[in-house]
Every structure is written in structure tokens, then in C-alpha cells.
Amino acid sequence: MPVVWSALWRNRAESVLTLLALSVAFALFSVMIAINAAYEQAIYDTRIDRLIVTCAFDCGTIPLGYREQLARLGGVSAVGGELWVGGGKDPDEHHLTTVTFMDEGMRSAWPELPMTRADWRALDISPTGIFLTRTAAARRNARIGDTMTMNAGPGSGTDGSGTWFFTVLGFIADPTGWGQQWSPNMIVGNLRYFQNSGNPDERDLVNFLRVAVDRPEHARAVCREIEAWFTNATPALSCVPARENVEELMDANINMRQISLGIGAAGLFMILFLCANGTAESVRERLSEFGILQAIGFGNGRIAWLVILEAAAPTILAALIGSAVAPGVGMFLSHLAIKGVINIPAVRASPVALGWALAAALLIALLSAVAPLYRLLRTDVAAMIARR
Amino acid sequence: MSELRQIAAVCVVGIGTLRDRYVPALVIVIGMACVVGVLTSMLSVTAGLTRAYLRAEDAARAIVWAEGADFDQSRSLKPDVIGTILDAPGIAREADGVPLADPEFMMWLPPVEGFAAGSLQLRGIGPAGLALRPAFRIVAGHMFGAGMRELAVGVGAARKFGLHVGSEVRLRDGKWPIVGVFSCGADIIESYLVGDALTVMAARRSPGFAQVIVQLVDTQAYPGFQKWLMENPAIDVSVERKTDYDLRVVGADTSFFTRMAYIIGVMMALGSLFGVVKIMYGAVRARTREIGTLRAIGFGSTPLALSVLLEAALLGAVGAVVGAAIAWLIFDGRQMWVWGAFKLRVSPHLWVLGLAWAIITSLLGGLFPALRAGRLPPSEALRAE
């Protein structure tokens, strides 16, 4: 190790510059791996035994009354209704404020929603109450007990004013998942409030029915049965298992899963030659040193280890630094995404990303050591000492 | 010797010695190629989408929609207000006096196996819709008939969903046949099915258009057209130039991705910058005796420093051209789908951006090594090994 250390520290400025370049590239690589992993996790987090039921022909809403009919189908264990009502702008001016009204069936149909039994009870006894996700609460600086208003447009309410008043009952964790799962900027309200106070023509309508099936392997069959059962109804229904829906949405949009891997690979390719050039220069300048080491009994194996270690030390250190920086960059990107129109899943540090970074660091070190080692092992000791 | 001639002479000497330092030079070229390649590849998505939405003829066009409903799937523009909109001043007219304006709407069709709901969309268009799209061509089958339960599919949607003449799609009132395949000069409409607006609306059982696309007599006609509509108490609509509307739509689709491209471009440039600093320091070290000799025979420090900067910029520029060329070869013209078919485009603008990006990064990276080259005392430089 002292030999490796002295070799690295021989030209401090250049070693530090190499380390900085490698660290930036590994930070980028780790962020890209984390983004890829976040998408994979979003798919994994979406359960196979959950179905999303919507109107088949672009009609926007479906009658809540379908809920009971769906619940009677074989394989269906719970059904819940969900309606979005939007109005006004968020304080950040980027998003419409949207309240997701839910009925009591959602508690069993989609138990992944991070609401406790007590939260559901509070929502049940207080129809004007709302729960905000941590992101939604932070964006509005909301506190428990605050009154929040939303203007959903003339005619949306019974009184014709369109202004809705809500009381903040509490906060819930940002839900996992993506796509037509839950948004991190989500406000959960009680569907009963809308049914009691909404426009009479729209009271018993919902955007989605979410269905839980008893066994994951039944999901597709139940979906097909729902579509067949309601094919001649007005409106007809369309059904998709939630996980398939997420996968399809990811493919319909800019495919960040593929792109992230390509960018990460380009970042590594960029530093591969820098690292290889640094190792080659170092070996060339220390040719006589290697000759003396061989003359005093260092075998080819030990010389090879020295060169590989010298190449690996900065790459592994850079991989660690890059992996440490990556979550910060990832959070910044997630923040940007939430402010924009596209949502990307939350990007977090993961042992998988660190593992990939370390593996890539070793691979780069090995590739960087190949050419200098080939030269070293083909040169005889006398020539090396004479620096020929 | 004048300073300019000194700079030219030192640059020639420096570039002449690149052959002896080709490996480190290659490191800069490859590094910059990666930076510019990634940046231009990512931005080719934005450039491609912009070209799919924005047409040259849109400059003298406006789009009208019901207040508060500026999205394609809206049906808030009721048929009874269309006549009022078409009475507005400044609308171009066809030879027979018919206003060159088309009320249109979009609707989602049920999910196709393997594709997300909303992927397959149908655009209802009227007779003026074709006049507004001069590039519209039927490439297989025939055009849908007015009042007929027929549809035509764009080449992008046909490729994506495997649709062709003879295929059928389900609407609310049953199956509708596809009777034709059309192209439209790579316009985004190639991603949709199109059908007769009034017939599709009847099948949809929900009257209402999303928007009216209007051809104005010229670009100057817009303010009067907008004022007339906005101040008309009989209707409650919003008006926007079509180019502005399209830019907003494209921006909404790509804003995050574009920002991400620049962030990644900056990160990669930063990594590359450190690499350039290291390599150029190495280059100055390798040329120490040469620099000492030049100083000894009367060359000033400024030409020497500039020669290092120019060498870095030249290598960066070569890398940028290589990176942009690779991105162009791989991605330009490649079909992509982001809620619609479009072709990726490594535009001349992106080439210039990549070149500027690489040259600025290289110049920044070459700055400190250049200063060092300029400040090397000749006596010390001549003694270097």
C-alpha cells in the first residue's frame, strides 16, 4: 500500500483532478442507476391484485352505482370510488389544486394508501375534512385545523358558487407508486361531502373505481369479466391491472428507464479513457521503479496487483464520493420533476446503486490497467531500470 | 514579430506536437464527444417534438377554446358558439367564401392491448381541417367520408398500434372500420386516428368541440381577431396564437426532460472540465522545454498562454463534432413515441449548442494550464527534463 499511496501522491494536483472528474462521473452514474431503480421500484410497489376501472369511451366519469355490481363479481374482494375535483392554482403556480374525494370502500380496495384506521374514522365523521400528503402540506404551509378553500368553477356546488371549504384534519406520508397511483402532492377528501354538496347532475359519479381482487393471478381474468359484463352498459367500462397500467404509462412517456442507463454508461465511458491515460502515464514515468521492484524480487503477480490497485484506488474512492453525492442530485431532480408536468418516482440512495458504482469502479480500474500491464510485463528488467 | 504572428506560430508548433501527445489529446476528444453526444441526444427529443407540433404555416393561425378548458380532450366549446367564432374579423376564406377555420376535438379510445389508456386518440376534424393541413396525404386506402362511420389512421399510430386499412376500433356505438392511412409531413396528427367530427361526435353522444383552429388573413390580423372574441359578451372563450399554444403544449411535455438534459450536460461538462485541466497541465509539462526555448528566442507569455487555450478549444471542438455526429447518426430521424409519434431531431441548432458547450468547457479547463504556460520562467523551463 505505501508504494501505491506514494505513486498516487507523487503528483497531487493531477491526482486530485482525476479524483474530481471520476467523482462527478460516478455521481452521475449513481443518479442514473437510482432513477432506473426508482422506476423499477414504482412498478414493484404497484400491486398486481389491484385493478383500475374507468369509463371505456372517453366519458370521464362513471356512476358510483357500478360499485355494488362490481363487488358482486367473483374474485372481487373490495371496490372503492375516487373523484377528482380541481380548481385554482397551488401556491407554486405550477399545479391545479385537486382534491381526491374517496368513498369508504377505498379503505379496503386500496389499503396501500398511507392512511391509518384513525385517519379514515376522522374523515368519516368530518365530511369537509381533508388529509394532505407531506409534500402537499409543505407546499401550502398547511397546519392541522386550517381552513382551505378551492374554487372549482361556477355550478360545481349546490349553491352555485363553486367554492368549496375544507378543514385540514391531518397529514399522511407521500404514497409510494407512480402513474395512476397516488401523487405525492395529494389531498384526500370525503366523497360524501361532494355527494351532499356537489352539482346534483354529478353527485353520484366518480372518475375511477379501484378494485381489489382476492388473488393476484385472478387480476386479468377479473378485468376481462368486468369489461364483458359492462360492454353494453352506458357507459361501458374499461379495466386494467394497476401494475400493467404503470408499466404502460412508463412506456407511453419518455422512457426514463432506458435513457438513464444510457446516460450512466456514457458518463463511465467518458472517464474510462481519463483513468486509463492516468494509469499509463504513471506507469511510464515510474518504469525504473517497477524495474527495481522486479529486481528485488517482486513477481509479475505482485506488480500486476500494484498497477491494478493504483488504478482502483481513485475509482473506488470516486465511486464512494459519487454515491454519497448522488441522493442529493436525485432529490433535486425529483423536485424538478414534481414542479414540472412529468412525475418521476422519488429517487433515493440504495445499496444496489452503491453496488453497481463499486462494480463499475473495479471494471474501469481493470480496463485502465490492461495496457500498462501488458507493456510492463513485456519489458525486461534491465530495460525498465534503464527506462528504455 | 507581431503578437498575432507569434500566436499563430506558437499554435502551429503546439498543434504540430499533438502527434506526440495523441493519447491525452484523444482523452479530451472522447470526453467532450460523450458530453456533447449525451446533451444533443437528449435535446433531440425536445427538438423533434417541437417540429412535430410547430408548422411554418402556424404563424398566421390562432386557436380558440372555451375559457378554462385549454386541453385537447375538452368538449366545452358547444356547437352553438362556433358560428359566432367564425364571424370574427380577420379569418381567411376559401375561394367559395367559407371561413378557413375548423372546430375539432380529441377523444381517447379504449386501451389497446399493451398500451396505456389514452395512448390511442381520435381527432374529429371537419372539411376545413384538410385545407388547414396542406401536407395531408392518403398513402393507403381512401379518405373517410363525411357522415360515414369511417376513420383514417396516421402513419405514426398505424406503426405504433399495428393498425391498417381494414382494422376496426371500438367507439361507443360499435366498431368503426379504418378505411385509409395518411401522412401529414411528420405532423403530430400522424399519431392519431381522424374521422368526421360531427359523425364521431354523434357516436360519442357528447356534443362539444375542444377548439377551433383558425387561419388568419395574415399575422397582423391576430390582435383584432383576439380583441373581437374576447370582448364579445355572447361567448366566453380564450384565444392564443397557434405557435404560442403549441410551444406551451411542447413545453409541458418536455420541460422536465429538457431541464434534466441541461443538468446532466452540466454534470458531464464538469467531469470533463477536470479532465481537461489535468490533461492540459500534462501537456504544458510535456512541452516545458519547448516553451522555454520559445520564450528564450523572444516569444511573449501571452501567445504561449493563448496557444494552450486554443489547443484545448480545438480538441473540445473536435470532440463536440464527433459527439454530435454520433448522436446524429444514431438518433436523427429515429421514430419515438411520447403520447404521440415524432422523429428525433439533432438539429443544426443542437450542433451549434454542442460546439459552444464543448468549447466553453475546454476553454475553462485550459485556463489555469495556459496561465502556467505563460508564467513559466525561461531559465527554469529550459532546464526541464
Side-chain angles (χ1 to χ4, degrees):
Chain A
M1 282 311 286
V3 178
V4 173
W5 179 251
S6 67
L8 289 172
W9 222 227
R10 188 173 43 88
N11 193 334
R12 291 178 195 189
E14 291 191 8
S15 295
V16 169
L17 285 168
T18 305
L19 183 67
L20 286 171
L22 293 176
S23 299
V24 171
F26 273 107
L28 181 66
F29 177 74
S30 301
V31 170
M32 292 301 122
I33 292 289
I35 286 179
N36 187 272
Y39 275 92
E40 296 297 335
Q41 188 65 41
I43 293 172
Y44 181 77
D45 284 344
T46 310
R47 291 179 56 156
I48 307 171
D49 53 353
R50 302 282 182 260
L51 315 178
I52 295 171
V53 178
T54 55
C55 176
F57 297 106
D58 194 37
C59 30
T61 49
I62 49 179
L64 187 59
Y66 281 9
R67 185 178 52 186
E68 280 68 35
Q69 296 179 57
L70 288 176
R72 283 198 288 273
L73 292 176
V76 171
S77 55
V79 186
E82 176 182 333
L83 176 76
W84 314 316
V85 178
K89 286 273 178 83
D90 274 3
D92 68 359
E93 290 293 314
H94 285 281
H95 300 78
L96 283 172
T97 294
T98 302
V99 174
T100 307
F101 290 106
M102 292 182 187
D103 69 356
E104 63 283 359
M106 199 61 84
R107 185 173 159 186
S108 325
W110 220 277
E112 297 77 47
L113 184 67
M115 283 177 65
T116 63
R117 188 182 291 250
D119 292 340
W120 282 109
R121 200 178 310 118
L123 197 63
D124 190 44
I125 59 174
S126 171
T128 60
I130 49 171
F131 280 89
L132 286 81
T133 59
R134 302 264 176 228
T135 299
R139 193 168 282 170
R140 294 167 180 80
N141 203 18
R143 285 170 300 185
I144 292 174
D146 281 358
T147 298
M148 209 183 90
T149 57
M150 180 182 73
N151 192 342
S156 67
T158 316
D159 60 1
S161 72
T163 304
W164 295 75
F165 296 92
F166 299 99
T167 307
V168 177
L169 295 178
F171 309 116
I172 57 175
D174 289 359
T176 55
W178 187 79
Q180 299 205 6
Q181 303 304 301
W182 318 108
S183 155
N185 177 35
M186 182 176 172
I187 302 170
V188 178
N190 188 334
L191 186 64
R192 199 144 39 87
Y193 181 29
F194 189 84
Q195 285 181 299
N196 291 335
S197 312
N199 181 335
D201 292 341
E202 296 170 1
R203 275 184 189 175
D204 291 319
L205 297 172
V206 286
N207 295 108
F208 278 2
L209 284 169
R210 292 187 185 259
V211 175
V213 291
D214 54 359
R215 293 168 68 171
E217 58 268 31
H218 289 167
R220 279 179 149 246
V222 172
C223 254
R224 277 198 290 270
E225 195 179 347
I226 289 173
E227 288 186 342
W229 193 261
F230 288 89
T231 194
N232 291 320
T234 305
L237 292 184
S238 168
C239 175
V240 62
R243 185 175 286 186
E244 279 181 28
N245 177 254
V246 167
E247 286 175 331
E248 288 165 1
L249 278 171
M250 283 180 183
D251 291 341
N253 225 307
I254 294 172
N255 195 331
M256 290 301 299
R257 276 189 292 172
Q258 286 177 4
I259 290 171
S260 57
L261 291 181
I263 295 167
L268 291 184
F269 190 71
M270 178 179 84
I271 52 163
L272 171 65
F273 291 90
L274 181 69
C275 192
N277 179 57
T279 310
E281 268 185 9
S282 173
V283 167
R284 192 168 56 243
E285 288 169 6
R286 292 161 50 229
L287 210 54
S288 55
E289 184 184 318
F290 282 109
I292 292 166
L293 285 173
Q294 280 207 326
I296 63 171
F298 272 58
N300 283 348
R302 288 179 77 184
I303 294 285
W305 270 114
L306 272 179
V307 176
I308 291 169
L309 274 177
E310 193 183 322
T315 55
I316 288 175
L317 186 58
L320 292 172
I321 294 170
S323 299
V325 173
V329 181
M331 275 169 60
F332 176 62
L333 286 176
S334 294
H335 177 70
L336 261 187
I338 289 168
K339 282 182 77 174
V341 172
I342 296 172
N343 267 352
I344 63 168
V347 179
R348 300 183 179 92
S350 74
V352 177
L354 179 64
W356 276 110
L358 289 174
L362 278 175
L363 181 66
I364 287 177
L366 283 172
L367 290 173
S368 302
V370 168
L373 267 179
Y374 180 73
R375 183 181 173 190
L376 265 184
L377 300 181
R378 279 174 58 95
T379 314
D380 67 58
V381 177
M384 276 202 272
I385 293 172
R387 295 194 67 177
R388 277 187 274 121
Chain B
M1 197 187 286
S2 77
E3 192 117 302
L4 273 177
R5 292 182 69 180
Q6 280 192 9
I7 293 169
V10 178
C11 284
V12 169
V13 172
I15 290 163
T17 60
L18 271 179
R19 263 181 317 184
D20 305 328
R21 300 178 280 116
Y22 74 93
V23 176
L26 214 54
V27 172
I28 295 182
V29 171
I30 291 171
M32 284 304 163
C34 288
V35 176
V36 173
V38 168
L39 183 71
T40 48
S41 303
M42 290 186 78
L43 291 177
S44 69
V45 175
T46 309
L49 259 178
T50 306
R51 190 161 79 165
Y53 278 93
L54 276 177
R55 319 300 301 175
E57 59 268 24
D58 286 346
R61 282 183 185 169
I63 195 156
V64 185
W65 67 90
E67 177 66 30
D70 62 334
F71 53 98
D72 286 347
Q73 279 77 21
S74 154
R75 61 201 73 177
S76 306
L77 209 54
K78 298 301 173 197
D80 54 348
V81 304
I82 301 297
T84 311
I85 293 169
L86 299 189
D87 282 342
I91 301 179
R93 291 179 185 275
E94 294 187 73
D96 55 2
V98 175
L100 205 46
D102 195 39
E104 300 185 355
F105 61 85
M106 295 271 281
M107 64 178 285
W108 290 323
L109 295 180
V112 180
E113 187 72 31
F115 294 97
S119 296
L120 182 57
Q121 299 184 73
L122 165 60
R123 191 165 187 97
I125 62 174
L130 295 184
L132 286 168
R133 296 178 176 90
F136 193 100
R137 301 274 181 280
I138 290 289
V139 295
H142 62 86
M143 186 61 177
F144 63 82
M148 305 286 285
R149 293 174 76 254
E150 294 175 343
L151 301 171
V153 62
V155 287
R159 199 175 301 126
K160 178 77 174 173
F161 300 103
L163 298 171
H164 48 81
V165 175
S167 301
E168 291 180 321
V169 293
R170 268 198 317 149
L171 265 70
R172 200 167 175 174
D173 66 342
K175 289 183 174 175
W176 285 47
I178 292 172
V179 297
V181 180
F182 69 89
S183 69
C184 193
D187 189 286
I188 196 70
I189 200 173
E190 289 182 355
S191 318
Y192 313 135
L193 290 151
V194 293
D196 178 50
L198 294 175
T199 316
V200 175
M201 198 185 291
R204 199 176 68 175
R205 294 180 211 159
S206 169
F209 296 94
Q211 55 205 203
V212 182
I213 302 171
V214 175
Q215 175 70 54
L216 300 170
V217 286
D218 54 38
T219 51
Q220 277 79 45
Y222 178 76
F225 174 76
Q226 185 201 31
K227 189 166 182 284
W228 190 89
L229 284 172
M230 299 297 280
E231 290 179 356
N232 191 329
I235 51 175
D236 188 15
V237 295
S238 294
V239 189
E240 196 170 10
R241 284 184 195 275
K242 179 122 188 338
T243 43
D244 295 343
Y245 178 86
D246 289 339
L247 280 174
R248 208 154 44 79
V249 171
V250 173
D253 281 347
T254 60
S255 61
F256 164 67
F257 192 70
T258 305
R259 276 184 278 183
M260 192 166 159
Y262 283 115
I263 291 169
I264 287 167
V266 167
M267 279 185 80
M268 291 189 76
L270 188 66
S272 192
L273 176 87
F274 291 127
V276 173
V277 178
K278 188 210 164 202
I279 298 289
M280 292 315 291
Y281 265 131
V284 171
R285 203 174 61 226
R287 291 175 59 198
T288 303
R289 287 195 68 159
E290 179 191 315
I291 290 169
T293 309
L294 288 168
R295 289 300 305 276
I297 61 172
F299 280 78
S301 58
T302 309
L304 285 164
L306 277 177
S307 77
V308 174
L309 273 179
L310 285 173
E311 183 181 317
L314 177 73
L315 294 174
V318 173
V321 171
V322 171
I326 291 171
W328 182 80
L329 283 171
I330 298 175
F331 295 110
D332 193 67
R334 195 168 146 180
Q335 191 90 20
M336 196 174 166
W337 183 275
V338 181
W339 297 113
F342 67 99
K343 284 181 177 164
L344 297 177
R345 186 163 184 246
V346 181
S347 60
H349 165 78
L350 290 185
W351 281 77
V352 173
L353 177 76
L355 201 60
W357 199 272
I359 289 175
I360 290 170
T361 307
S362 303
L363 286 175
L364 288 173
L367 194 61
F368 286 104
L371 289 175
R372 184 172 175 176
R375 286 175 182 166
L376 266 177
S379 53
E380 196 181 301
L382 282 166
R383 278 199 297 272
E385 279 186 29

